[in-house]
């Protein structure tokens, strides 16, 4: 397979990447044959896979818009993926050009393209790091340069935690982030839910993602709600993502087909 100019030499283009599979679901072009094959296998197992990616991206956009209107001017998007239309900085800086955004992703393709898009934007940056290393994220010079952790920050952990097994202690990872935040900060969280899925669908989805470096770890609503420990959930709580403050009542119909559940929590104090 010929390596395109935009693909860093360090990546294995024969092994599927969850970031590039997600890009494929969203109709992007930064994916390889291996990513497309794995994504198509996922669609065969769970036909709603593209819908769930699109619904989840729409949830992120609505959450950012709501928080920006509420006065939040700092955003830390962990597991941001390959850039597509409707990025956090586009939404936040449209409402206030002074808004500051740091994207974090472990995938080198996602990081490389984020850097291209953000070139010349002094109030946005991208860091190559892993959610499983929250201390490294918080201490990174680019995070420290752009974000004042003594002021409210919205931390986005969207469509990421289903790649973090319980052995990696996701609740502890989120507590580390929470403990570094000022009162008035927010946590925006979503992940694939096992609710409403048959055993066969879950098993096949897990089989597909075992072909990547990031196997699935699907949780239910109660488990996801527990991860908001220390945050006060905004209405309507943890729901199917199309049900979180939908733009129209019609957009929340058949919400469980979106597969993802999510919510937004505020840190008091």
């Amino acid at each position: 397979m010929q390596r395109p100019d935009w693909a860093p030499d360090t990546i294995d283009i024969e092994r599927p990447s969850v970031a590039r599979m997600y890009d494929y679901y969203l109709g992007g072009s930064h994916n390889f044959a291996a990513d497309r094959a794995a994504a198509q296998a996922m669609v065969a197992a769970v036909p709603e896979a593209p819908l769930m990616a699109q619904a989840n991206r729409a949830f992120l956009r609505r959450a950012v818009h709501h928080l920006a209107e509420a006065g939040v001017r700092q955003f830390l998007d962990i597991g941001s993926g390959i850039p597509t239309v409707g990025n956090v900085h586009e939404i936040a800086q449209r409402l206030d050009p002074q808004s500051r955004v740091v994207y974090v992703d472990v995938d080198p393709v996602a990081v490389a393209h984020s850097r291209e898009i953000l070139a010349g934007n002094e109030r946005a940056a991208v860091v190559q790091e892993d959610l499983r290393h929250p201390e490294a994220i918080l201490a990174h010079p680019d995070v420290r340069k752009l974000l004042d952790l003594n002021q409210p920050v919205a931390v986005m952990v969207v469509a990421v935690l289903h790649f973090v097994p319980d052995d990696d202690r996701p609740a502890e990872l989120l507590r580390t982030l929470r403990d570094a935040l000022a009162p008035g900060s927010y946590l925006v969280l979503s992940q694939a839910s096992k609710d409403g899925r048959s055993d066969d669908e879950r098993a096949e989805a897990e089989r597909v993602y075992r072909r990547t470096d990031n196997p699935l770890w699907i949780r239910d609503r109660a488990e996801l709600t527990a991860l908001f420990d220390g945050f006060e959930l905004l209405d309507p709580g943890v729901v199917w993502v199309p049900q979180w403050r939908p733009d129209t009542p019609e957009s929340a119909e058949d919400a469980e087909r979106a597969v993802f559940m999510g919510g937004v929590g505020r840190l008091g104090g």
Side-chain angles (χ1 to χ4, degrees):
M1 181 186 302
Q2 185 176 0
R3 181 182 295 272
D5 294 339
W6 51 263
D9 293 337
T10 54
I11 69 169
D12 180 1
I13 64 176
E14 302 289 344
R15 184 172 180 82
S17 152
V18 296
R20 299 192 300 270
M21 290 171 65
Y22 197 72
D23 176 68
Y24 176 82
Y25 297 142
L26 292 171
S29 59
H30 295 103
N31 47 75
F32 306 115
D35 307 309
R36 293 189 288 274
Q40 289 160 6
M42 180 65 179
V43 173
V46 183
E48 298 90 349
L51 172 65
M52 73 182 190
Q54 295 156 18
N56 194 65
R57 181 54 63 114
F59 162 69
L60 179 145
R61 289 196 292 265
R62 294 196 307 277
V64 171
H65 191 273
H66 171 78
L67 297 181
E69 285 198 324
V72 177
R73 295 296 179 262
Q74 302 188 109
F75 296 83
L76 179 61
D77 185 357
I78 303 175
S80 50
I82 294 174
T84 60
V85 174
N87 287 304
V88 173
H89 73 280
E90 293 176 336
I91 301 163
Q93 292 179 351
R94 188 180 304 128
L95 288 169
D96 186 341
Q98 301 303 308
S99 296
R100 299 186 296 279
V101 179
V102 178
Y103 295 102
V104 181
D105 205 281
V106 71
D107 186 278
V109 171
V111 172
H113 281 282
S114 296
R115 285 178 177 148
E116 288 181 14
I117 285 177
L118 299 175
N121 189 331
E122 296 182 354
R123 296 186 179 274
V126 59
V127 169
Q128 186 169 351
E129 193 47 86
D130 194 317
L131 170 61
R132 285 167 285 204
H133 305 144
E135 296 91 347
I137 293 172
L138 294 167
H140 194 283
D142 289 343
V143 173
R144 291 292 182 175
K145 177 182 177 182
L146 275 184
L147 304 183
D148 178 1
L149 298 182
N150 293 313
Q151 298 297 322
V153 176
V155 175
M156 327 288 294
V157 185
V158 174
V160 180
L161 281 176
H162 44 255
F163 301 123
V164 180
D166 283 351
D167 287 349
D168 283 336
R169 304 182 302 280
E172 184 176 319
L173 301 177
L174 293 176
R175 278 197 299 272
T176 298
L177 293 167
R178 182 199 68 197
D179 291 347
L181 299 176
S185 294
Y186 290 85
L187 173 64
V188 181
L189 194 64
S190 75
Q191 80 148 78
S193 172
K194 65 176 68 171
D195 294 20
R197 301 291 105 189
S198 71
D199 291 342
D200 287 345
E201 283 179 316
R202 290 199 300 270
E204 184 60 19
E206 289 166 355
R207 185 192 67 77
V208 169
Y209 275 87
R210 281 197 294 271
R211 294 160 58 180
T212 76
D213 291 327
N214 301 96
L216 281 178
W217 194 274
I218 303 175
R219 298 180 174 88
D220 61 23
R221 187 197 303 263
E223 291 172 303
L224 188 55
T225 300
L227 293 173
F228 281 94
D229 180 45
F231 292 88
E232 180 183 354
L233 279 166
L234 305 188
D235 289 336
V238 174
V239 294
W240 297 110
V241 290
Q243 295 174 332
W244 198 89
R245 307 195 178 194
D247 295 324
T248 66
E250 293 76 19
S251 62
E253 293 177 357
D254 298 325
E256 67 275 8
R257 295 177 59 228
V259 180
F260 283 87
M261 282 189 170
V264 178
R266 184 180 186 277
L267 187 63

